Amino acid sequence: MSFVRDIFSSTTRTNVPLTVVTTPQGHDYSHQDGSPEPGPSTANLTARPSPRRTYSLPEPPVPPYDEDEEDFNARAVPRRSADRSRLYPPSAGETTQSVCSTATSTPVPSRSPSPFPFYYSGTSSCSSDSESEPESPLLGRPRRPTTSWRNGERSRWSLRLGSRGSSAGGTDIWRPRRRWRDVSWGVRSCKRLIRRLVRHPFFPKTPVTILLTLLFLTIFGVSLTFLLIYILNPDKEPLPWRGYCTLPQHSAGPPSLSLSPTALLQTPIPTNITAPSFPPPDFDTLAPAGVFVGVFSMDTSVERRMLVRSTWAKHVRSREGASAGDDGAATSRTIVRFILGQPNKEWERRVKLEMETYNDMIILPITESMNHGKTHAFFSWAANHSWVPPLYYDDFTQVPTNFTYLNASAPAPALASHDPLPAHKDQAINSPPKPWVRPDFVVKADDDSFVMLAELEARLRVELHKEPLPPPPPPQSKVSPQVQPRDGNEAQVLDYNQIAAYFDFSLPSYVTRTPPTLAALPTVPAEPPSRDPLVFWGYLVKNRFMAGELYALSYALVDWVANDPLVKTMTRGAEDKQTSKWIRAHPRAEQVRWSSERCWIYDHPRAGTVYSHGFLFPSEVKRVQEGALRDLQRLAQQAAKTDLSTSTYATPAGQWVAPPEKWRHSTVSKFGVRYSPPVGESNLDYSVEALVEGSDMSTVHEDGSMTPNLAWKYREGRRRRYEGKRVGGTVVVHFIKKNMWFLETAAAMLHGDDVTPLEEALDHAHGKKLPKDDYADTDPQLAGSSSSPDAGPSVESDSISTSKRTHTNTRTMVRRSRRALGQ
């Protein structure tokens, strides 16, 4: 504790080292009376020194200080002079003055320093450095100066809701001082941590290391982001869409949750299957279905709504089909409306003007949010306010008459420009026009979907006229166990009457009343189940839910969804998954038909998702089906030659076996690769033709045997692509995120020649000219049942089949010749 003495001592310390002190012979500086003596004279210093005696001063005890305090003391106490000439005490004539006082010199204490600090009075005229240092560890925590009323100062009063000794709380409820200390302590800890981090030798300090560190952190962040996207993305491999177009799709009750998400069928695929075809033979005898299509949009999506109004919502090829059409009879009961939430203030006036101009917008009383109840609000609105035109034609033999919602009607509303043409004619001729009725189906669609209305109505019409699914068998009744009679030796159990007689009191009536037997209960006749269709139609994703780009619910399901109290509590979350949960919670869930369509619903070719491939037409699907059936036959032959227990490759594809890899191939797009057109600098027609699946233009870059001009020359017309039928092709093209993609889809689906110049020339070569207006009249497959099934093949059909074969052979010969020439 010598440093305490150094700090608080008022005398001037001599520059004598404390370790070893040597004195000349004959001089003894020990004190007899406690007073210091002056040092030796100059004369004595020149005399011959006698043997020196060495005095060792006792070492002071090591104080219990840490390193920080030692450093502080080293800074607080000035260093002793290094002048070695001051080895002896000063002489008598040498004056020594205190640093802090003008008095005479103070004698040097002759006793050894005490290990304990001295007590100094506060009346000293000098204060050491440690006294002026408020943060000294020797002085302890500084205290706030107290004030007194007698000094005339006013003390500060703080409001405390409780005291430590109070009975109410026991502890202080509001302690701002402690809270401030906690905050300041946290700030100091953070500063200390940052200071240590910055002072770390690996911390970058030069500009080069700083740039390299930032670059490394950027690369790490981007890599981590893509890794999380890959891990969280459930779709990592392209889907076998060729198998979807060849195998029968799911059309039964809700799929089992135990079914594998990648299973094509619930059982291994048989080899003797028949590829599905559409439409069925009796399609034209079925009455059209009433379809209400609600396109989900936002207040800012004005341009996309205008594109929908001018393309698939009103185009003749979207509403009438591929061939000559049916004058809009099929889609005469199909209505398209845009569904929006409450618009923002800056868009409110624009939305109102758009509503008054086009009469095709519905504003729901909710905030615009896709996954926070908008779908449920739409179905709730549709259950009470959705109407479609009635049946304007009476030449259909199968018309539903036993549905419960057929009697509901309402006056015809104001029409939109893209509403069916028969509805416009009815309002122009009749006054008042025919009342509108409830829809058979309510469709939810996204505005990034391109919908072919004739194809959609055709699929829903077939589902409407199907027989409903039978109810599940009732559970077997449990047989109650027979009660064995008791033996005479066992104790008898007294009943209530015996107990009452023994204790002489009467029992209440609810105890003595005889319970009614089952035979005595009145028989209530069971109400027959409703014949209303229970249909859930869409793209079945992973055998779990219908994809949200477009799905349809029959009106009976819509009415139940709008009124069921349990569904009202399940409105938040991914809307497509939530809708599937609603249908599974239906009281007759086993009778709801889940009808899946995964061949004719896909993403845009440029999207690059697992659901995307080229624009699909029936002619290409027929070639795809032929190839897939050959693959199944090949797998069956390998399974017959190989033991199934040792080889899984030869097992037919099904629930637990992966489909062949070639079923994922697309001539247009590749999963995870940005789309690149086969022709670099091409015109609009060439670029759109290159997006068609299986077209010659899409394979120009593969082997070089086909040039763009030849591919355009040997393209297929619309009537050949649709196999001479009105419907049977693409229903929905999804994931159209750019307006350019939307226009490409419209050009591929709605534009193009019905008969190409080459096809017309081939028809002339066979002696039969097929004009564009009369082409449909010579094809017996154009209208389904327009030609008699008993009639034999005609000359026109032979001519068409011959031209098809000639067209195919010509394409093959051209490819071979170009390959031989090396072009």
Side-chain angles (χ1 to χ4, degrees):
M1 299 291 290
S2 60
F3 65 93
V4 179
R5 183 188 59 194
D6 297 338
I7 294 176
F8 292 94
S9 176
S10 61
T11 60
T12 304
R13 299 288 301 179
T14 59
N15 299 330
V16 179
L18 298 180
T19 55
V20 178
V21 178
T22 58
T23 58
Q25 183 178 5
H27 293 273
D28 188 2
Y29 296 97
S30 60
H31 303 278
Q32 301 296 333
D33 55 355
S35 61
E37 295 181 358
S41 62
T42 308
N44 295 333
L45 290 176
T46 58
R48 185 176 181 180
S50 61
R52 300 179 180 180
R53 290 178 296 178
T54 304
Y55 296 91
S56 298
L57 298 178
E59 295 182 2
V62 180
Y65 302 135
D66 53 5
E67 297 178 358
D68 297 337
E69 293 179 348
E70 292 179 0
D71 297 341
F72 173 78
N73 295 331
R75 292 191 300 267
V77 180
R79 293 185 176 182
R80 300 180 179 89
S81 175
D83 189 4
R84 300 184 179 271
S85 64
R86 307 285 295 181
L87 296 178
Y88 303 99
S91 60
E94 186 178 354
T95 60
T96 304
Q97 296 182 357
S98 174
V99 179
C100 303
S101 175
T102 59
T104 58
S105 61
T106 303
V108 178
S110 59
R111 57 183 176 179
S112 61
S114 174
F116 302 99
F118 296 100
Y119 174 77
Y120 292 92
S121 173
T123 61
S124 175
S125 62
C126 176
S127 60
S128 64
D129 296 338
S130 61
E131 291 177 352
S132 62
E133 180 64 40
E135 298 294 331
S136 174
L138 303 177
L139 301 179
R141 181 176 298 177
R143 295 182 179 181
R144 182 176 299 179
T146 58
T147 58
S148 176
W149 288 97
R150 67 186 62 180
N151 296 334
E153 298 180 0
R154 189 173 182 180
S155 63
R156 298 180 181 178
W157 293 88
S158 60
L159 177 61
R160 294 191 178 184
L161 301 180
S163 61
R164 184 178 302 274
S166 62
S167 59
T171 57
D172 294 343
I173 300 178
W174 182 34
R175 297 182 178 180
R177 297 180 180 178
R178 176 173 297 181
R179 186 182 301 109
W180 175 251
R181 287 199 302 269
D182 296 341
V183 174
S184 60
W185 180 84
V187 173
R188 287 197 300 269
S189 300
C190 295
K191 290 182 178 179
R192 189 180 299 109
L193 180 61
I194 295 174
R195 189 181 300 110
R196 290 182 179 179
L197 179 63
V198 172
R199 292 178 179 177
H200 197 274
F202 291 102
F203 190 84
K205 298 179 178 61
T206 61
V208 177
T209 56
I210 293 175
L211 292 178
L212 292 178
T213 304
L214 294 177
L215 179 61
F216 172 75
L217 294 177
T218 303
I219 296 175
F220 175 76
V222 173
S223 303
L224 182 61
T225 302
F226 280 101
L227 178 62
L228 293 177
I229 292 175
Y230 177 80
I231 294 175
L232 298 177
N233 184 18
D235 303 321
K236 298 180 176 62
E237 296 181 358
L239 300 178
W241 64 271
R242 294 177 180 267
Y244 294 158
C245 296
T246 306
L247 306 175
Q249 296 299 304
H250 183 85
S251 181
S256 176
L257 296 177
S258 61
L259 182 63
S260 173
T262 59
L264 296 179
L265 289 178
Q266 299 183 10
T267 57
I269 302 173
T271 57
N272 56 350
I273 64 174
T274 302
S277 62
F278 193 86
D282 59 342
F283 176 75
D284 287 335
T285 63
L286 308 177
V291 181
F292 187 94
V293 182
V295 182
F296 278 28
S297 182
M298 297 178 61
D299 49 6
T300 58
S301 303
V302 180
E303 187 175 1
R304 180 53 60 92
R305 288 194 292 271
M306 294 303 300
L307 289 175
V308 172
R309 293 186 182 108
S310 60
T311 53
W312 60 264
K314 66 178 298 184
H315 200 277
V316 61
R317 285 182 172 172
S318 174
R319 284 192 167 269
E320 298 186 7
S323 295
D326 57 352
D327 295 333
T331 58
S332 61
R333 304 185 62 204
T334 302
I335 298 297
V336 179
R337 294 293 183 265
F338 297 99
I339 311 300
L340 288 78
Q342 291 293 333
N344 295 330
K345 292 297 183 181
E346 57 182 0
W347 287 89
E348 186 174 356
R349 177 174 174 77
R350 306 181 191 182
V351 171
K352 289 182 179 180
L353 292 174
E354 188 178 356
M355 291 176 61
E356 295 178 359
T357 303
Y358 297 101
N359 296 323
D360 59 356
M361 300 175 64
I362 298 168
I363 307 298
L364 300 176
I366 61 171
T367 305
E368 181 62 50
S369 181
M370 187 64 178
N371 296 327
H372 290 77
K374 184 175 181 179
T375 303
H376 184 268
F378 165 62
F379 286 132
S380 300
W381 177 91
N384 301 313
H385 302 93
S386 61
W387 305 96
V388 295
L391 186 62
Y392 294 114
Y393 303 93
D394 56 358
D395 54 348
F396 301 99
T397 58
Q398 300 185 36
V399 180
T401 57
N402 54 354
F403 298 158
T404 58
Y405 56 85
L406 294 178
N407 296 327
S409 62
L415 298 179
S417 60
H418 49 75
D419 282 344
L421 183 60
H424 283 275
K425 292 181 179 180
D426 179 62
Q427 291 199 4
I429 296 175
N430 300 326
S431 182
K434 293 182 179 181
W436 286 22
V437 297
R438 290 296 186 193
D440 297 311
F441 293 93
V442 177
V443 179
K444 179 264 173 184
D446 292 338
D447 60 355
D448 63 343
S449 300
F450 193 96
V451 185
M452 300 293 289
L453 294 179
E455 301 287 353
L456 176 63
E457 188 278 332
R459 266 71 174 187
L460 297 180
R461 184 195 303 191
V462 173
E463 297 295 334
L464 178 66
H465 291 275
K466 282 184 178 180
E467 290 293 329
L469 295 178
Q476 297 180 358
S477 59
K478 298 182 179 179
V479 180
S480 59
Q482 298 292 335
V483 178
Q484 299 294 335
R486 294 178 178 271
D487 298 336
N489 298 331
E490 296 182 1
Q492 298 290 334
V493 180
L494 299 178
D495 59 0
Y496 288 108
N497 294 327
Q498 294 176 348
I499 296 174
Y502 180 79
F503 290 99
D504 193 14
F505 67 89
S506 60
L507 294 174
S509 60
Y510 67 85
V511 176
T512 59
R513 183 173 61 244
T514 304
T517 60
L518 295 177
L521 293 176
T523 58
V524 179
E527 183 180 356
S530 174
R531 298 288 297 178
D532 294 349
L534 300 176
V535 180
F536 189 23
W537 183 91
Y539 185 103
L540 186 60
V541 179
K542 297 184 179 300
N543 299 322
R544 294 295 185 269
F545 60 93
M546 295 295 182
E549 63 263 21
L550 186 141
Y551 54 83
L553 272 68
S554 58
Y555 182 78
L557 293 178
V558 172
D559 184 67
W560 174 80
V561 166
N563 300 312
D564 186 74
L566 178 62
V567 173
K568 294 180 181 179
T569 63
M570 304 166 58
T571 58
R572 293 184 176 269
E575 57 93 15
D576 47 5
K577 296 182 180 179
Q578 291 298 111
T579 304
S580 299
K581 292 179 181 179
W582 302 343
I583 304 305
R584 290 182 183 273
H586 193 273
R588 298 167 56 190
E590 299 296 333
Q591 295 182 261
V592 178
R593 184 189 302 276
W594 290 53
S595 183
S596 175
E597 180 57 70
R598 292 191 285 188
C599 177
W600 302 107
I601 301 178
Y602 51 89
D603 289 353
H604 193 274
R606 294 180 183 268
T609 63
V610 297
Y611 307 94
S612 64
H613 52 74
F615 296 128
L616 209 54
F617 293 96
S619 60
E620 178 63 21
V621 170
K622 186 176 181 180
R623 293 187 286 268
V624 167
Q625 292 174 351
E626 293 175 355
L629 291 177
R630 289 193 299 267
D631 295 336
L632 291 176
Q633 293 177 359
R634 189 179 302 108
L635 289 175
Q637 293 175 2
Q638 294 179 3
K641 297 179 182 179
T642 310
D643 186 10
L644 296 180
S645 61
T646 59
S647 176
T648 58
Y649 174 76
T651 306
Q655 181 175 357
W656 307 112
V657 179
E661 185 70 23
K662 61 188 305 184
W663 287 7
R664 306 172 182 178
H665 173 69
S666 173
T667 61
V668 177
S669 62
K670 295 181 181 179
F671 173 63
V673 179
R674 185 183 297 273
Y675 173 79
S676 59
V679 183
E681 298 293 337
S682 60
N683 55 22
L684 179 62
D685 295 334
Y686 286 14
S687 62
V688 173
E689 181 68 17
L691 296 174
V692 176
E693 185 68 37
S695 63
D696 293 335
M697 193 69 69
S698 65
T699 60
V700 166
H701 60 281
E702 290 185 355
D703 53 7
S705 61
M706 183 69 67
T707 61
N709 294 331
L710 286 177
W712 177 255
K713 180 179 180 180
Y714 289 104
R715 71 186 187 280
E716 292 181 337
R718 292 181 56 83
R719 291 177 181 172
R720 193 176 301 281
R721 283 178 173 171
Y722 279 88
E723 298 288 331
K725 300 177 182 179
R726 186 178 65 86
V727 291
T730 296
V731 181
V732 178
V733 179
H734 179 232
F735 210 86
I736 308 177
K737 299 301 183 182
K738 299 181 180 180
N739 292 336
M740 183 190 70
W741 298 2
F742 195 95
L743 295 175
E744 288 176 346
T745 308
M749 294 295 169
L750 304 178
H751 298 171
D753 299 331
D754 288 340
V755 181
T756 62
L758 179 60
E759 293 173 348
E760 188 174 0
L762 292 175
D763 294 336
H764 280 288
H766 290 83
K768 178 64 177 179
K769 182 179 180 180
L770 300 176
K772 295 183 179 181
D773 296 339
D774 300 331
Y775 190 90
D777 299 336
T778 60
D779 193 348
Q781 301 178 352
L782 180 60
S785 61
S786 60
S787 60
S788 175
D790 299 333
S794 59
V795 178
E796 291 82 358
S797 62
D798 293 340
S799 176
I800 293 176
S801 61
T802 303
S803 63
K804 290 181 180 179
R805 290 193 300 269
T806 305
H807 181 268
T808 305
N809 295 336
T810 305
R811 293 172 57 189
T812 305
M813 293 174 60
V814 169
R815 289 183 178 181
R816 292 177 179 177
S817 61
R818 302 295 294 181
R819 188 180 298 110
L821 294 176
Q823 300 179 0

